[in-house]
Amino acid sequence: MTVKTRVSQLIAAVSMLMLLTACAVSGTEGQVSSDPATETEEAVASDDKLIEVGFSQLGAESDWRSAHTESMKSQLTEDKGFRLLFEDAQQKQANQIMAIRTFIQQEVDYIVLAPVTETGWETVLSEAKEAGIPVILVDRMVDVEDDSLFTCWVGSDFKMEGMKATEWLYQYTRSAGIAPEELHIVNIQGTIGSSAQIGRSQGLREACENKGWDLMQEISGEFTQTRGREVMSSMLKLYSNLNVVYCENDNEALGAIEAIEAAGKKPGMDIRNGEIMVLSFDGMNPEALQYCAEGKIACIAECNPDHGKRIATLIHSLENGEQVEKYSYISEEIYSGSRDVTQLVLKGRSYPVTFLDSSEEGKVDFVTGD
Ligand code: GYE
């Protein structure tokens, strides 16, 4: 920065400060001359205009979840017209049910629910419906017969994410001349019964059946790094031929990599030479992205946690009495540090593989394909 720019920035800053002081002073003068009773009424009135949203977040198990919470908190703010009541359920459905009941008692305007698992929601959602409070689902789904128990849902197509990861594996191994029967896979699943686990596991199972891959075991790593490490370390002891690990999120993948390295093996794409290929989901954690760029994680099917804006827009539309989409899917990419597979075609749609370039030290570049 030149000295000249610094000086002009300083002048700008000082003028801004003078302007703000002037405003503050006139504000104070205004208050002194006004009637305090009217003022309180005004404050209450403007406070009343805020849309009260009770958000039951399922927990804080992963980097994805922290980003998701952040996205929601950054959009459901007072200056955007909301008052947010936030509850973290610490992975327990009972806590979510309790939070929803409290929101009902507090007569919030909307309830937003990120459900930990899919089943068991009928009763509490019926209570919200009876109270006339719209429920918006975010991230994961609920399994209810009556879909009028929720107004709408925003999230990802988890089975499609699984299909992307497995199609990438199929294309990659085919181009490397690796036969289907050479693949011996274990699946470190997410929280059992959650939509993300159900969809991603389904994607893998179908691919294993269709391609003739050997799916040796599926076991939950609960979407955490610690469990991912523990599960992988026991899998390595059980299966000496294990050469692909499908981790249902990046935190599990980081744990699995620790276990692979602790067992004296190498995570990588060269499975013919004893490396263990790691597939993963999310693409939020910087370390996981770096590993992907280096090939330690072969491919990551992105899961986009940025739901806050969509939720805020949906609520504003509902406030205006507009009809909203029942299901909104977030768009997502697929990442790899290998250029061997450049695009995937699934259900008649083509998905370019975004290449992660780590040639500049400590920095991952996203090179979008065509
Ligand atoms: O992939 C995982 C998190 O439901 C999409 O939950 C979410 C999943 C996400 O713990 O990291």
Side-chain angles (χ1 to χ4, degrees), residues 8 20 52 104 106 155 162 187 203 209 214 216 228 252 277 293 368:
S8 56
L20 285 176
E52 204 158 51
I104 297 173
Q106 290 169 320
N187 180 12
E209 262 180 50
D214 171 25
M216 299 191 292
E252 292 180 343
M277 191 185 284
T368 313

Side-chain angles (χ1 to χ4, degrees), residues 16 19 46 75 77 97 104 117 126 146 152 162 190 271 303 312 342 345 366:
M16 182 59 92
L19 196 71
S46 72
Q75 293 298 320
T77 57
I97 293 175
I104 297 173
T117 47
S126 304
D146 174 6
C152 54
I271 58 175
C303 184
T342 54
V345 178
F366 295 69

Side-chain angles (χ1 to χ4, degrees), residues 117-118 158-159 189 191-203 205 248:
T117 47
E118 291 195 348
F158 300 114
K159 186 171 172 198
Q189 300 173 288
T191 303
I192 300 298
S194 68
S195 307
Q197 176 274 312
I198 294 171
R200 292 170 188 166
S201 294
Q202 220 176 350
R205 281 180 209 143
E248 289 186 357

